[in-house]
């Protein structure tokens, strides 16, 4: 079974916090050196925009690497042998799984424990990749039973549509961490 890949903690970005703190010092030094306040703020904002872009690129790749692996419970489909002349009915077992918050479907493994007879496993993913239906089928045969037992493994990833907003919120957190009231508690 694949391993979960966790997101790095926001406190591991100390270099960005240090730079934010340095930019704060520089804006006051600029104003002390007779740089007009509007110009000093403009320089500060340009530096922060470049830093935010740099952070967003790095954090986006961190979010893109995150994986949540879930071992789902066992479920099965079974159909007993049928007599000659009887129709070959199929037993269908559907189980729906929903992605964790801010995550979408990445890949799966049916993890079939046993299968004999006329059996199949299918997966159906919703358009928004937020829910998955695993379908197991066992079809009646004239010679022998049909049975399938599976414990699906589903791998989820962070929703690419949410990554930009998550990065923006993380940068806001870095700005708060750069504040003297919080800096000493985390770094």
């Amino acid at each position: 079974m694949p391993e979960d890949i966790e997101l790095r903690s926001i406190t591991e970005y100390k270099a960005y916090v240090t730079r934010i703190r340095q930019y704060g010092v520089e804006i006051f030094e600029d104003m002390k050196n007779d740089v007009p306040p509007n110009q000093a703020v403009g320089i500060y904002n340009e530096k922060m925009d470049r830093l935010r872009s740099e952070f967003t690129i790095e954090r986006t790749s961190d979010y893109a690497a995150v994986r949540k692996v879930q071992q789902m419970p066992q479920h099965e489909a079974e159909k007993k042998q049928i007599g000659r002349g009887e129709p070959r009915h199929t037993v269908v077992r559907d189980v729906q799984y929903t992605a964790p918050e801010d995550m979408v479907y990445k890949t799966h493994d049916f993890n079939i424990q046993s299968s004999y007879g006329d059996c199949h496993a299918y997966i159906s993913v919703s358009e928004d990749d937020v829910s998955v239906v695993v379908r197991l089928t066992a079809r009646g045969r004239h010679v022998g039973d049909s049975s399938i037992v599976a414990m699906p493994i589903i791998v989820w990833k962070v929703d690419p549509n949410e990554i930009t907003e998550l990065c923006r919120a993380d940068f806001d957190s870095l700005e708060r961490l750069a504040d003297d009231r919080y800096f000493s508690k985390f770094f």
Side-chain angles (χ1 to χ4, degrees):
M1 184 161 85
E3 298 284 321
D4 284 356
I5 300 173
E6 299 288 326
L7 184 65
R8 288 188 333 178
S9 169
I10 197 75
T11 58
E12 291 183 35
Y13 293 93
K14 184 176 181 181
Y16 287 100
V17 174
T18 303
R19 287 169 61 187
I20 292 169
R21 290 172 63 88
Q22 180 60 37
Y23 294 162
V25 170
E26 289 173 5
I27 191 172
F28 288 112
E29 288 177 3
D30 286 348
M31 285 191 273
K32 282 182 191 176
N33 295 329
D34 297 326
V35 174
N38 287 345
Q39 185 179 354
V41 168
I43 293 168
Y44 171 80
N45 286 338
E46 286 176 19
K47 289 179 180 178
M48 288 298 287
D49 287 344
R50 282 194 303 270
L51 187 63
R52 180 178 280 111
S53 296
E54 184 182 319
F55 173 78
T56 300
I57 291 168
E58 183 176 346
R59 192 67 168 169
T60 297
S61 65
D62 289 348
Y63 273 112
V66 171
R67 298 290 182 267
K68 173 98 173 126
V69 179
Q70 289 184 323
Q71 172 75 62
M72 301 306 179
Q74 174 179 309
H75 69 284
E76 62 186 278
E78 183 177 44
K79 183 69 177 164
K80 297 291 183 192
Q81 178 177 337
I82 58 173
R84 297 271 176 219
E86 291 182 49
R88 295 185 64 199
H89 293 293
T90 302
V91 172
V92 177
R93 299 285 185 253
D94 288 342
V95 180
Q96 182 172 352
Y97 303 107
T98 304
E101 186 176 351
D102 294 329
M103 300 193 97
V104 294
Y105 169 80
K106 168 72 175 155
T107 188
H108 71 280
D109 179 358
F110 288 117
N111 195 19
I112 295 174
Q113 306 296 304
S114 70
S115 175
Y116 55 88
D118 188 359
C119 299
H120 301 282
Y122 306 96
I123 192 158
S124 176
V125 181
S126 67
E127 279 187 33
D128 59 1
D129 292 339
V130 173
S131 70
V132 173
V133 175
V134 174
R135 171 174 282 187
L136 299 180
T137 64
R139 189 168 183 196
R141 302 183 318 153
H142 297 297
V143 180
D145 299 340
S146 294
S147 176
I148 184 169
V149 178
M151 292 179 65
I153 298 170
I154 299 179
V155 180
W156 308 98
K157 66 180 182 177
V158 176
D159 185 350
N161 299 324
E162 299 291 327
I163 290 177
T164 303
E165 188 59 39
L166 293 168
C167 289
R168 184 175 294 122
D170 289 346
F171 191 80
D172 292 344
S173 295
L174 287 179
E175 287 183 298
R176 283 191 298 279
L177 287 174
D179 187 316
D180 287 332
R181 294 174 291 180
Y182 306 110
F183 184 77
S184 62
K185 294 178 183 176
F186 294 99
F187 299 106

